[in-house]
């Protein structure tokens, strides 16, 4: 009996200790070396989309402390080397990384056709498509525009940068360093795609400015993809103002219309959940139409209705979103595990850097 009691106490101790460790967080550490296995000192390491940054010491070593369980994208930037990114899952133990940087040899050469006004045009297009055409995007200032390299190919405008692009968002009060990996804009289709990693820093300001920033940050957060994924995680989608519907292929007889076909019964996420632990959950990956409309969401009454297929228009803050595979996972920060496989069109697809807030952002309660 004593042995059984001791064993139960040991199990309880291990469980409590593991839970306490998870609440305190774990370390992400590692060593950065070049292709000759020599340490790369002074490299900048940061967690993409956050305010967390450090640098490698003389031995190429670095450490982030108190990282809570979740999904993270760790990025490394060093002049003369290709940018490096790695997805990391922190669950119940620290992460120890061994990173090898490759020398950057094939740099994108700047190609400007015609007079200098061509580059001015390229820059205007780049700023609008990269920072955004919203009020927040227009309030952003690119402090080092000369760092952007442009090239063109038929209807495509392409860009990259050898150093961090530095942006001041005067509406949200963030200074952003962005490691641009690729950018292209198709003038024929007015479509843009870019990739990179952002590091956020609080801008200094007066109390009045901080109050303005707080208001604007909340406006940017409300209805965003991160807001939605956090609401999914807490199973408060309707409460947070989101109307979510399962979408279906367009009927053959309606092939030429511009409607999206849905089940008009709002999705109940608790029927899709598989809770992994307190930091992660998985849910069935189904194609969705998401609308942010708090007033309409507050009117929804839970009642049993039969399935019907309904064609609707994409109005207001509406987004079509689909996930890779049969199941997908998110963490409590609202970070999606396989975000690169997501397909997003509509409101969220038009969101740009100027409307982003860091992972650390929490709305006032």
């Amino acid at each position: 009996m004593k042995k059984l009691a001791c064993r139960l106490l040991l199990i309880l101790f291990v469980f409590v200790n593991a839970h306490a460790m998870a609440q305190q967080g774990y370390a992400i550490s590692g060593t950065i070396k070049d292709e000759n296995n020599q340490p790369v000192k002074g490299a900048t390491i940061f967690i993409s989309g956050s305010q967390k940054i450090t640098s490698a010491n003389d031995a190429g070593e670095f450490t982030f402390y108190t990282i809570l369980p979740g999904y993270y994208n760790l990025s490394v930037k060093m002049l003369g080397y290709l940018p490096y990114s790695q997805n990391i899952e922190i669950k119940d133990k620290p992460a120890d990384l061994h990173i090898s940087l490759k020398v950057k040899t094939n740099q994108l050469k700047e190609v400007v056709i015609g007079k200098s006004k061509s580059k001015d045009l390229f820059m205007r297009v780049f700023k609008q498509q990269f920072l955004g055409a919203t009020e927040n995007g227009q309030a952003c200032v690119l402090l080092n525009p000369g760092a952007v390299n442009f090239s063109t190919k038929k209807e495509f405008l392409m860009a990259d940068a050898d150093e961090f692009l530095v942006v001041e968002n005067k509406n949200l009060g963030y200074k952003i360093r962005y490691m641009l990996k690729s950018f292209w804009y198709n003038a024929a289709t007015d479509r843009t795609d870019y990739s990179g990693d952002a590091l956020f820093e609080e801008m200094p300001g007066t109390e009045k400015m901080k109050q303005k920033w707080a208001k604007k940050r909340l406006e940017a957060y409300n209805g965003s993809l991160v807001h939605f994924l956090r609401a999914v995680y807490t199973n408060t989608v309707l409460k947070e103002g989101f109307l979510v519907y399962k979408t279906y292929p367009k009927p053959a007889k309606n092939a030429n219309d511009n409607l999206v076909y849905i089940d008009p019964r709002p999705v109940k996420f608790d029927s899709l959940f598989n809770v992994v632990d307190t930091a992660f959950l998985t849910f069935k990956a189904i194609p969705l139409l998401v609308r942010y409309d708090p007033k309409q969401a507050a009117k929804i009454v839970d009642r049993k209705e039969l399935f019907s297929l309904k064609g609707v228009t994409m109005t207001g803050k509406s987004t079509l979103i689909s996930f890779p595979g049969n199941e997908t996972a998110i963490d409590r920060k609202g970070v999606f595990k396989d975000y690169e496989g997501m397909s997003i069109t509509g409101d969220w697809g038009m969101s740009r850097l100027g409307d982003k807030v860091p992972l650390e952002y929490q709305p006032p309660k």
Side-chain angles (χ1 to χ4, degrees):
M1 192 70 180
K2 287 184 177 180
K3 288 184 177 180
L4 178 60
C6 288
R7 188 173 298 174
L8 290 174
L9 284 173
L10 178 61
I11 293 172
L12 180 62
F13 172 78
V14 171
F15 174 79
V16 171
N17 187 57
H19 180 72
M21 284 293 294
Q23 295 302 312
Q24 294 172 9
Y26 300 94
I28 297 177
S29 58
T31 304
I32 302 175
K33 295 185 178 181
D34 61 18
E35 294 171 293
N36 297 316
N37 205 35
Q38 295 300 307
V40 180
K41 62 180 181 180
T44 298
I45 308 102
F46 63 100
I47 295 176
S48 182
S50 79
Q51 296 172 287
K52 293 179 171 60
I53 182 173
T54 189
S55 59
N57 62 19
D58 290 348
E61 300 167 337
F62 69 92
T63 302
F64 290 100
Y65 298 99
T66 62
I67 303 298
L68 295 176
Y71 300 116
Y72 298 91
N73 180 266
L74 183 131
S75 299
V76 181
K77 177 72 173 176
M78 183 66 181
L79 187 64
Y81 293 87
L82 290 172
Y84 177 92
S85 294
Q86 179 176 343
N87 292 327
I88 301 169
E89 179 180 335
I90 299 296
K91 191 172 184 180
D92 54 7
K93 60 182 179 180
D96 186 19
L97 310 176
H98 300 278
I99 298 170
S100 178
L101 298 186
K102 296 181 178 180
V103 174
K104 186 174 184 179
T105 54
N106 297 319
Q107 297 186 2
L108 181 65
K109 299 299 181 182
E110 182 180 7
V111 179
V112 177
I113 301 172
K115 300 179 181 179
S116 60
K117 65 180 181 180
S118 296
K119 186 170 183 179
D120 294 338
L121 173 61
F122 296 162
M123 183 56 69
R124 286 198 298 273
V125 172
F126 176 77
K127 286 181 178 179
Q128 182 172 13
Q129 297 299 323
F130 175 59
L131 301 174
T134 63
E135 178 189 343
N136 293 332
Q138 294 294 307
C140 289
V141 178
L142 178 60
L143 299 182
N144 56 339
V148 184
N149 306 311
F150 292 113
S151 68
T152 58
K153 185 177 181 181
K154 294 184 178 180
E155 67 271 23
F156 288 93
L157 172 64
M158 295 165 286
D160 79 350
D162 297 324
E163 60 187 79
F164 279 110
L165 298 183
V166 184
V167 176
E168 283 190 353
N169 190 329
K170 297 185 180 296
N171 259 23
L172 302 186
Y174 293 119
K175 183 177 182 180
I176 307 168
R177 283 186 275 178
Y178 194 87
M179 189 169 74
L180 182 67
K181 297 176 182 176
S182 67
F183 171 95
W184 62 260
Y185 169 70
N186 187 334
T189 61
D190 195 30
R191 183 183 173 190
T192 300
D193 186 52
Y194 67 88
S195 65
D197 299 302
L199 174 69
F200 290 80
E201 177 185 345
E202 296 275 352
M203 288 172 56
T206 64
E207 197 59 37
K208 185 176 181 179
M209 292 168 68
K210 291 178 180 179
Q211 290 175 0
K212 172 197 169 186
W213 293 340
K215 180 182 177 181
K216 291 292 185 181
R217 289 174 185 181
L218 181 60
E219 291 174 358
Y221 173 80
N222 282 338
S224 67
L225 175 59
V226 171
H227 183 194
F228 170 67
L229 290 176
R230 289 180 180 178
V232 170
Y233 181 86
T234 55
N235 196 23
T236 55
V237 172
L238 271 176
K239 182 180 178 182
E240 292 292 332
F242 293 97
L243 296 164
V244 186
Y245 306 97
K246 183 178 180 180
T247 65
Y248 289 84
K250 186 176 295 188
K253 64 180 181 180
N254 305 107
N256 295 322
D257 68 27
N258 294 319
L259 302 179
V260 176
Y261 286 83
I262 65 168
D263 177 351
R265 300 172 298 180
V267 170
K268 295 181 179 180
F269 278 93
D270 55 356
S271 66
L272 308 177
F273 284 163
N274 175 26
V275 179
V276 178
D277 55 33
T278 57
F280 305 90
L281 67 79
T282 62
F283 59 93
K284 293 178 184 177
I286 60 175
L288 302 172
L289 168 64
V290 182
R291 283 180 173 163
Y292 183 65
D293 189 341
K295 290 184 179 180
Q296 188 62 34
K299 299 177 182 178
I300 296 296
V301 177
D302 186 14
R303 59 176 181 264
K304 293 187 179 297
E305 295 180 7
L306 296 176
F307 169 79
S308 63
L309 197 62
K310 181 180 180 181
V312 297
T313 57
M314 291 279 289
T315 58
K317 300 188 75 171
S318 299
T319 299
L320 289 172
I321 181 170
S322 61
F323 308 92
N326 297 319
E327 193 174 65
T328 189
I330 59 174
D331 67 17
R332 58 183 156 195
K333 303 187 306 301
V335 176
F336 179 60
K337 182 178 182 180
D338 301 312
Y339 65 92
E340 292 178 343
M342 292 172 67
S343 174
I344 299 175
T345 57
D347 184 57
W348 293 338
M350 297 300 293
S351 177
R352 298 291 187 262
L353 186 64
D355 289 306
K356 305 295 185 185
V357 294
L359 293 176
E360 290 87 350
Y361 178 79
Q362 293 291 335
K365 295 182 179 180

